[in-house]
């Protein structure tokens, strides 16, 4: 016969404190004396007590979880992004609930709706969805921070990368290195980052004036489209002096 599960009452009885004190100690509240907190934690560890997440969520109205919705999970960029976010979340005793939508607007809407009631806040990267769609699908009462997501509507905090300036700097570097025939492998037309990188490349080429050639090849931010662009360059006769790919996967 299986042993009955250890409850918070068992921890309170063993530590000789109230159930409320055990709850406050385990949830990191400040109004618990350090020796009492230490005693509670030691007893909970010895008894192998695990708080019931659902019950704790109902009583505290907090899930201790943050939602992260990304366009993809594959590749070094997204793995490093998740690693950084997870590190900060864990430092604040929070967990991550991660979902991706692979550029599919309908799937993104489903992912955002699924976060309701499961997380205390959202981090969203949405370079594909239109502003109207995103506003309609973001849970209204949930604190949300946008990552590299252009959204003129709504009052959401956010941060982003200046892709236009970055692409101009990269193109100027190639030109300063003596390259005059440049090829740019672009990203998806529906992706905000891709559009800004292409705009930066074209602006830098136009700024350089006569004698500079800037050829643009289509890409999809994946290895296959990078390969297709490479083959197109090889079959096109005269090769460029340098190739600027709009993301690492295509490069």
């Amino acid at each position: 016969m299986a042993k009955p599960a250890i409850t918070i009452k068992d921890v309170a009885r063993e530590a000789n404190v109230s159930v409320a004190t055990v709850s406050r100690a385990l949830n990191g509240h400040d109004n618990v004396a350090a020796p009492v907190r230490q005693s509670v934690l030691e007893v909970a560890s010895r008894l192998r007590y695990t708080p019931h997440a659902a019950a704790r969520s109902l009583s505290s109205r907090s899930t201790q979880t943050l939602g992260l919705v990304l366009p993809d999970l594959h590749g070094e960029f997204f793995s490093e992004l998740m690693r950084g976010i997870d590190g900060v979340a864990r430092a604040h005793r929070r967990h991550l609930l991660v979902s991706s939508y692979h550029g599919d607007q309908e799937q993104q809407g489903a992912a955002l709706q699924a976060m309701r009631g499961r997380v205390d806040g959202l981090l969203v990267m949405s370079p594909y969805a239109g502003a109207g769609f995103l506003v309609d699908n973001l849970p209204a009462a949930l604190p949300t921070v946008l990552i590299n997501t252009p959204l003129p509507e709504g009052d959401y905090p956010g941060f982003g990368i200046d892709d236009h300036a970055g692409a101009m700097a990269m193109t100027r570097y190639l030109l300063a290195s003596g390259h005059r025939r440049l090829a740019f492998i672009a990203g998806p037309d529906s992706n905000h980052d891709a559009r800004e990188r292409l705009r930066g490349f074209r602006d830098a080429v136009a700024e350089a004036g006569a004698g500079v050639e800037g050829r643009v090849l289509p890409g999809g931010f994946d290895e296959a489209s990078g390969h297709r662009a490479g083959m197109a360059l090889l079959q096109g006769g005269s090769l460029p002096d340098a190739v600027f790919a709009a993301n690492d996967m295509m490069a």
Side-chain angles (χ1 to χ4, degrees):
M1 180 181 297
K3 293 181 179 180
I6 298 297
T7 69
I8 192 171
K9 292 182 179 179
D10 297 322
V11 177
R13 183 171 54 251
E14 187 74 14
N16 197 29
V17 296
S18 68
V19 168
T21 297
V22 173
S23 177
R24 289 194 294 268
L26 294 178
N27 284 296
H29 292 183
D30 295 331
N31 56 345
V32 180
V36 175
R37 184 192 311 279
Q38 184 62 31
S39 174
V40 169
L41 294 176
E42 288 176 356
V43 169
S45 176
R46 175 161 50 81
L47 297 181
R48 297 186 179 181
Y49 169 68
T50 302
H52 191 287
R56 184 169 62 183
S57 174
L58 286 173
S59 63
S60 67
R61 298 185 181 276
S62 173
T63 65
Q64 307 297 306
T65 303
L66 300 177
L68 176 60
V69 179
L70 299 173
D72 205 338
L73 301 181
H74 179 63
E76 184 178 359
F77 172 78
F78 291 110
S79 65
E80 286 297 305
L81 183 66
M82 285 187 288
R83 181 181 180 184
I85 293 171
D86 183 62
V88 176
R90 287 185 178 275
H92 290 79
R93 303 178 70 180
R94 297 293 188 273
H95 297 283
L96 284 185
L97 180 60
V98 181
S99 184
S100 67
Y101 53 93
H102 305 287
D104 186 311
Q105 186 166 282
E106 185 176 333
Q107 289 298 318
Q108 183 191 28
L112 291 171
Q113 296 298 325
M115 293 289 178
R116 294 176 186 268
R118 298 184 179 185
V119 299
D120 298 330
L122 270 177
L123 291 159
V124 179
M125 177 180 281
S126 181
Y128 290 97
F133 173 87
L134 193 56
V135 169
D136 289 343
N137 283 274
L138 284 173
L142 204 56
T144 300
V145 174
L146 303 178
I147 306 171
N148 250 35
T149 300
L151 189 64
E153 306 174 34
D155 185 22
Y156 295 99
F159 62 92
I161 298 168
D162 191 340
D163 288 292
H164 174 264
M168 285 198 73
M170 183 69 245
T171 307
R172 286 168 176 165
Y173 169 79
L174 293 174
L175 293 169
S177 299
H179 306 303
R180 287 295 176 267
R181 291 178 299 157
L182 308 180
F184 181 81
I185 306 176
D189 293 337
S190 58
N191 184 286
H192 172 74
D193 297 333
R195 292 195 300 268
E196 285 298 284
R197 292 168 194 172
L198 175 58
R199 186 168 70 89
F201 172 76
R202 283 176 166 162
D203 285 351
V205 169
E207 173 188 76
V212 174
E213 175 188 334
R215 180 182 177 186
V216 176
L217 296 97
F221 274 179
D222 57 3
E223 292 180 6
S225 62
H227 180 265
R228 286 193 297 271
M231 294 302 294
L233 288 172
L234 289 173
Q235 295 167 5
S238 178
L239 291 175
D241 300 327
V243 178
F244 177 4
N247 83 336
D248 292 342
M249 296 295 289
M250 294 190 301

